Amino acid sequence: MSAVAAGVTGNNPALNIGIFAAFVAITLVVVFRASRNTKTAADYYAAGRAFTGPQNGVAIAGDYLSAASFLGIAGAIALNGYDGFLYSIGFLVAWLVALLLVAELLRNTGKYTMGDVLAFRMRQRPVRAAAATSTLVVSFFYLLAQMAGAGGLVALLLGITNKTGQAVVIAAVGIIMIVYVLVGGMKGTTWVQIIKAALLITGALAMTIWVLAKFGFNLSTLLGAAVDAGGKTGEALLSPGKQYGATGTSKLDFLSLGLALVLGTAGLPHILMRFYTVPTAKEARRSVVWAIWLIGIFYLFTLVLGYGAGAIVGPEAIRNAPGKGNSAAPLLAQALGGPVLLGLIAAVAFATILAVVAGLTITASASFAHDIYANIIKKDKLTDKNAEVRVARITAVVIGIVAIIGGIVANGQNVAFLVALAFAVAASANLPTILYSLFWKRFNTSGALWSTYGGLAASIVLIVFSPAVSGKPSTASTPSMIQGVDFHWFPLENPGIVSIPLAFVLGWLGTVLSKERRDDKYAEMEVRALTGTGAEKATSH
């Protein structure tokens, strides 16, 4: 086994596991303490709406800065330079859409889930079913990315190169995540996000300063070293086109990716649900501003970490390590500070994966329990107040098991690439419906169903029959998920440029072809969205 395959020479698996176990132990204590006040649905889903804007902003940053941000983007920049950094730019710019169009209005009109917003002025049962379906699918795609990150990271740290061993570790991550959700609910999960965000940003800052110090705090020197380490293709790291410029199709793929990244955030269910954990819409707005600052600073760090990994570790070692580029940041940590820094950064990366999958799981389970069980099956006539939370917890276990299986299948894929697919599905299925519902008076139930199901189906079909799933060799920078077969007919890896406009068109078409009018409910919703009159308030104990 080569040094790279085993991690790197001098790697200390026992130390890595010890640091990670310490993090899990501390956060489990936090989760258990938080669970003492988790009694009602508002506590379980929205943490009693008791978090301040800054606290929720840090938690949002923790939710958003996933394995894709830390592992995937650093690897993408190390291998593809400028084109890899476009992931960072897209993820950050996306927050402006969330801030200006969604955060405050959503907080005022909803209660726990996206389905609450749609059901405000439309027929409850069909739109809640559609919202829950899209939430579950988007959450599944996002969970795939996080679990794939877990597999690659463990392969590097523990020298586990066989798929069976990696599958066992992915299962362990999934089980710990299920415990977080079952015990702590949204309050416990939020505190885990806050702790994890602080650790991740601090760790990235320390590594950024360390890398810059090695190059005399001169960014030009760092970039020059990365170019030299890149060999014949080194110059391409500093200009657009290394990954997305070779052909007309790849340029179109870049446009599609950019559209998905910029519009996807405002449709991500686990991010939307965060806006309900604050007491007022003003705090929701403050939380997004805090999140933008923290996320923006972190993505500047990724630029240094990515090029630093390219310069110090080398693209060849990164490419040959387990995880298809996901190992760039841990390999850089090992090269800088040896086994101790590698253990600390690996623990932070594990914490990142654990916290994000916990947030995704609670969102998906809340959507099923609140939208489908409480409002569709029970028709909002629950006699047992705890039944909804009980169903949410059962659902969380099921989702956790599905995530573990999916993560084992997706193990080895670049996580930034997988998250981009989740963004495309979110932007196609959720964003058009949310924006039409908030801003178009004529919009009705048919339009909501057409845009949600149409965007969801289009994005998934195009992903299944794209090079992302089949047709690209294992030697490619982002190989296909299924090797040895080729059934793709859609030329682009990301479907956003087709599926997102199509969902907007379907929403408009479904509305104008339907005779249903609910203009009176729109007026009521507009007043509530803009003023907060009648919005859900915080609960106190």
Side-chain angles (χ1 to χ4, degrees):
M1 190 187 302
S2 69
V4 168
V8 246
T9 305
N11 187 16
N12 190 331
L15 178 67
N16 299 335
I17 290 293
I19 296 172
F20 176 57
F23 170 83
V24 171
I26 292 167
T27 50
L28 280 175
V29 171
V30 172
V31 167
F32 275 106
R33 285 178 64 85
S35 70
R36 293 184 297 184
N37 292 327
T38 301
K39 299 181 179 72
T40 66
D43 294 329
Y44 188 77
Y45 298 147
R49 308 185 206 283
F51 284 96
T52 65
Q55 285 176 329
N56 194 47
V58 178
I60 288 175
D63 233 343
Y64 197 67
L65 296 176
S66 64
S69 300
F70 189 48
L71 302 177
I73 292 177
I77 294 172
L79 298 177
N80 298 307
Y82 186 98
D83 283 10
F85 189 55
L86 292 171
Y87 278 101
S88 293
I89 300 298
F91 285 145
L92 180 59
V93 171
W95 275 104
L96 296 178
V97 179
L99 175 63
L100 297 175
L101 298 179
V102 174
E104 186 176 353
L105 305 180
L106 198 79
R107 170 62 186 84
N108 282 339
T109 49
K111 188 176 182 181
Y112 302 131
T113 66
M114 184 180 76
D116 290 328
V117 178
L118 304 183
F120 192 93
R121 51 181 287 231
M122 298 170 198
R123 285 185 281 123
Q124 287 241 358
R125 300 182 76 183
V127 296
R128 283 192 183 277
T133 301
S134 70
T135 296
L136 290 168
V137 172
V138 172
S139 297
F140 175 70
F141 270 93
Y142 215 104
L143 280 166
L144 278 186
Q146 306 310 312
M147 292 302 203
L153 187 62
V154 170
L156 177 78
L157 296 177
L158 307 183
I160 299 174
T161 53
N162 66 82
K163 291 293 183 181
T164 305
Q166 292 176 24
V168 171
V169 179
I170 290 173
V173 170
I175 291 166
I176 297 169
M177 169 265 293
I178 292 169
V179 172
Y180 280 158
V181 174
L182 290 184
V183 175
M186 181 57 87
K187 187 170 287 186
T189 303
T190 300
W191 280 114
V192 172
Q193 301 285 18
I194 291 171
I195 294 168
K196 169 236 141 164
L199 287 173
L200 181 60
I201 293 171
T202 302
L205 171 63
M207 284 180 64
T208 298
I209 293 172
W210 202 325
V211 169
L212 289 174
K214 287 183 77 72
F215 295 94
F217 290 96
N218 189 320
L219 190 60
S220 296
T221 306
L222 167 61
L223 297 178
V227 168
D228 293 341
K232 294 179 181 179
T233 60
E235 286 290 338
L237 292 170
L238 302 184
S239 57
K242 190 173 190 300
Q243 185 176 5
Y244 294 110
T247 64
T249 302
S250 62
K251 290 178 181 177
L252 201 60
D253 223 333
F254 164 67
L255 282 175
S256 190
L257 171 68
L259 195 63
L261 295 181
V262 170
L263 297 180
T265 297
L268 288 175
H270 67 297
I271 298 297
L272 298 179
M273 195 168 173
R274 284 241 147 262
F275 299 138
Y276 299 126
T277 64
V278 290
T280 63
K282 180 184 177 183
E283 292 298 307
R285 194 166 61 248
R286 284 183 72 202
S287 64
V288 176
V289 173
W290 269 77
I292 287 174
W293 274 104
L294 292 171
I295 292 165
I297 291 167
F298 179 85
Y299 282 143
L300 288 177
F301 295 160
T302 64
L303 182 66
V304 175
L305 296 179
Y307 279 113
I312 295 169
V313 180
E316 197 62 34
I318 294 168
R319 199 174 285 113
N320 292 334
K324 300 295 180 185
N326 298 335
S327 304
L331 284 170
L332 176 62
Q334 211 282 343
L336 291 173
V340 174
L341 185 60
L342 174 62
L344 290 170
I345 294 303
V348 169
F350 261 126
T352 298
I353 292 165
L354 269 176
V356 173
V357 295
L360 286 163
T361 303
I362 198 166
T363 300
S365 62
S367 184
F368 179 85
H370 181 65
D371 290 324
I372 294 184
Y373 176 75
N375 286 282
I376 296 177
I377 297 174
K378 293 296 184 179
K379 300 179 182 177
D380 204 18
K381 295 176 181 176
L382 289 172
T383 53
D384 181 359
K385 290 183 179 180
N386 296 321
E388 189 177 331
V389 174
R390 198 159 52 244
V391 169
R393 286 184 162 131
I394 294 168
T395 308
V397 175
V398 175
I399 291 167
I401 293 168
V402 172
I404 290 168
I405 296 168
I408 292 168
V409 172
N411 187 16
Q413 298 293 313
N414 181 285
V415 287
F417 169 67
L418 285 174
V419 164
L421 297 182
F423 271 62
V425 178
S428 305
N430 295 343
L431 187 64
T433 312
I434 291 170
L435 294 183
Y436 276 146
S437 186
L438 290 172
F439 297 107
W440 187 18
K441 186 176 183 179
R442 173 77 192 277
F443 193 55
N444 57 27
T445 307
S446 295
L449 298 179
W450 281 44
S451 67
T452 302
Y453 286 127
L456 191 64
S459 56
I460 290 174
V461 167
L462 294 180
I463 287 171
V464 168
F465 293 103
S466 76
V469 174
S470 71
K472 289 177 69 181
S474 59
T475 53
S477 58
T478 52
S480 296
M481 292 183 196
I482 304 173
Q483 290 294 310
V485 293
D486 185 0
F487 49 82
H488 88 279
W489 48 261
F490 183 66
L492 306 180
E493 290 185 18
N494 194 294
I497 200 168
V498 174
S499 59
I500 297 170
L502 179 63
F504 275 102
V505 170
L506 287 173
W508 169 81
L509 191 62
T511 299
V512 297
L513 292 178
S514 170
K515 295 179 180 178
E516 179 188 12
R517 297 296 293 263
R518 296 196 171 209
D519 295 0
D520 56 328
K521 291 293 288 182
Y522 176 76
E524 183 184 342
M525 183 177 183
E526 187 175 36
V527 169
R528 179 163 165 172
L530 295 175
T531 67
T533 303
E536 293 291 326
K537 302 301 180 186
T539 59
S540 58
H541 297 287

